[in-house]
Amino acid sequence: MAFLPDESRSLPPPPLLNKGSVWLGFVGWLSALADNAFNRRPILRAGVHRQILFTTVGYFVGYQLLKRAEYVHAKVDREMFEYMRHHPADFQPTGTW
Amino acid sequence: MAAALRAVRRWGLVAAAPPGLAFTRSAFVVKKANYAQPNWLGVGLALWTSAALWALLIRQHNEDIMEYERRKQAKGRKCTRCS
């Protein structure tokens, strides 16, 4: 399967500020800081271009991953609702347990 | 020096080891990094790549919104029970 099939474009896209991007951008920033630490440089003040680049890469990858996650969840939801539509007897509210 | 040699042997690296990982540095293959002068090529490439990635992200996001709206218009109100 492709990473983002065509029907995933029928879903509303996540906003630019979303949890996947923020989290992976933060992870990218932390790995730039870790690179500074491993190479014995000042942690926050050194390699700002590197921090910006790693954060940006994380933000971009987070957006794509979140789109794929939302597509997979929507697909599973659709299959579940289709199953429920085909088996209404199993999903009656007042059943005998 | 001895620790660096032990580290090189443990990691199985030979003289073609890439410099840059502090715990695998060997004095034979790496030159001392000069932090007095900025590596302008690296800085330029990193900043240019970051700007390009942001532009790509924002353009992709706008295209996604337009495509979603277009498909919603095309589908109309045919199915209201599905997600």
Side-chain angles (χ1 to χ4, degrees):
Chain A
M1 189 203 284
F3 184 70
L4 281 174
D6 183 68
E7 64 173 351
S8 72
R9 306 195 72 188
S10 305
L11 289 171
L16 262 182
L17 186 71
N18 62 78
K19 56 184 182 219
S21 288
V22 167
W23 183 251
L24 282 189
F26 181 63
V27 166
W29 184 54
L30 281 188
S31 50
L33 298 187
D35 185 58
N36 281 347
F38 292 150
N39 286 299
R40 312 278 299 162
R41 295 190 292 251
I43 295 190
L44 283 173
R45 290 175 288 140
V48 175
H49 65 290
R50 193 177 297 112
Q51 295 177 32
I52 293 175
L53 177 65
F54 284 19
T55 308
T56 304
V57 167
Y59 210 89
F60 187 85
V61 170
Y63 181 76
Q64 306 297 334
L65 281 179
L66 187 68
K67 277 207 294 188
R68 170 145 178 100
E70 288 201 341
Y71 167 70
V72 168
H73 294 161
K75 186 164 168 295
V76 168
D77 281 348
R78 180 177 64 188
E79 287 161 4
M80 181 184 75
F81 285 125
E82 267 301 299
Y83 181 87
M84 287 170 67
R85 204 162 63 85
H86 284 288
H87 300 82
D90 295 336
F91 295 99
Q92 294 307 315
T94 59
T96 57
W97 282 57
Chain B
M1 181 62 128
L5 288 177
R6 271 202 302 276
V8 168
R9 199 170 48 242
R10 187 174 68 234
W11 287 92
L13 297 173
V14 291
L21 292 175
F23 47 91
T24 58
R25 284 165 82 90
S26 161
F28 295 117
V29 301
V30 81
K31 52 186 187 305
K32 186 165 172 50
N34 178 18
Y35 290 128
Q37 289 177 329
N39 172 18
W40 288 116
L41 180 65
V43 171
L45 278 177
L47 290 179
W48 187 88
T49 309
S50 303
L53 277 176
W54 277 114
L56 192 62
L57 176 70
I58 293 173
R59 192 167 62 105
Q60 168 108 59
H61 180 66
N62 290 338
E63 279 176 5
D64 287 343
I65 290 179
M66 284 198 309
E67 181 67 20
Y68 168 65
E69 295 291 338
R70 190 188 68 81
R71 292 192 184 196
K72 205 164 69 164
Q73 294 293 330
K75 203 171 60 165
R77 294 285 179 263
K78 178 164 65 83
C79 176
T80 53
R81 276 176 52 228
C82 313
S83 55

